[in-house]
Amino acid sequence: MTTTRVRPARPDLPARHVPSRRPRPRRRSAGTVVAVVAVAAALGWAATGALDAVRGSDRGDAPLAAATPSPPAATGLDPELERRFDAARAAADADGVELSLTSGWRTATEQQRLVDAALERYGSAQEAHRWVLPPETSEHVAGLAIDVGPTDGALWLEQHGAEFGLCRTYANELWHFEAATEPGGTCPPMHDDASHGWG
Ligand SMILES: [Zn+2]
């Protein structure tokens, strides 16, 4: 039986001159990335955000953003109120004004605690009722009100809120806003204070 030996391809070259068997990974992988991106685009992966993840998502793609479903409101706020506030906050940010949520949805227990604290602070129910509503009628407990800050942000929102359907609703609380009109609408007259909500 004869053993067939495999001969080197180029036995005339010294070992150090044998061409490297390593491919040229840099050029090949660049081509692969281009191909993957092209294929992803062709398959419509952009709609899922996969292409955005490849490219980075700093281009402000409105269609992509619109295609991404809103997550459930973990804040307890009414989703429409939350959408309006998010839009207003972005516009304030573009104006160089900080606008943040200082209080949104509250549980009935939290609201009752605020009522008790106000009674203690003001010493009279009449005065306390100007500042805080009972859990049964509080718009915060219903997820329909937001308190915003800091003061500059609240003043910005009072000036621009109607564009987003957000209205300041109490004359004695410059921080309290509700979705009291349609975006672009006119805000209703403010209540003097919260006392009307105590019946
Ligand atoms: Zn409030």
Side-chain angles (χ1 to χ4, degrees):
M1 190 169 181
T2 309
T3 301
T4 303
R5 299 196 60 179
V6 176
R7 294 172 63 84
R10 305 183 66 177
D12 53 318
L13 286 177
R16 68 179 180 276
H17 286 162
V18 171
S20 166
R21 297 178 63 195
R22 290 174 60 215
R24 299 185 175 106
R26 188 161 299 177
R27 287 183 60 191
R28 188 167 299 179
S29 69
T32 302
V33 168
V34 169
V36 166
V37 170
V39 169
L43 293 177
W45 285 3
T48 68
L51 186 57
D52 221 37
V54 171
R55 290 175 170 172
S57 55
D58 58 348
R59 292 170 299 121
D61 278 332
L64 274 180
T68 304
S70 301
T75 58
L77 284 177
D78 174 76
E80 177 64 20
L81 174 60
E82 190 164 17
R83 267 193 295 276
R84 293 183 186 187
F85 178 66
D86 286 345
R89 179 162 47 189
D93 186 60
D95 277 358
V97 175
E98 181 189 353
L99 176 62
S100 58
L101 196 64
T102 59
S103 182
W105 172 71
R106 301 173 193 147
T107 66
T109 302
E110 288 166 337
Q111 186 69 21
Q112 185 59 50
R113 245 182 243 132
L114 293 177
V115 171
D116 296 342
L119 287 169
E120 190 166 327
R121 175 176 178 180
Y122 294 109
S124 83
Q126 187 182 14
E127 182 63 17
H129 291 179
R130 293 185 59 231
W131 297 97
V132 62
L133 283 166
E136 308 81 64
T137 57
S138 168
E139 300 284 8
H140 283 286
V141 175
L144 296 173
I146 51 175
D147 294 344
V148 305
T151 300
D152 283 351
L155 293 174
W156 184 95
L157 192 57
E158 181 173 4
Q159 192 178 349
H160 299 281
E163 298 167 28
F164 305 94
L166 297 173
C167 301
R168 177 180 164 189
T169 52
Y170 293 113
N172 67 335
E173 298 187 13
L174 65 85
W175 55 85
H176 179 105
F177 288 80
E178 299 175 18
T181 189
E182 290 305 308
T186 302
C187 287
M190 287 184 241
H191 301 290
D192 289 339
D193 54 46
S195 55
H196 71 98
W198 285 85

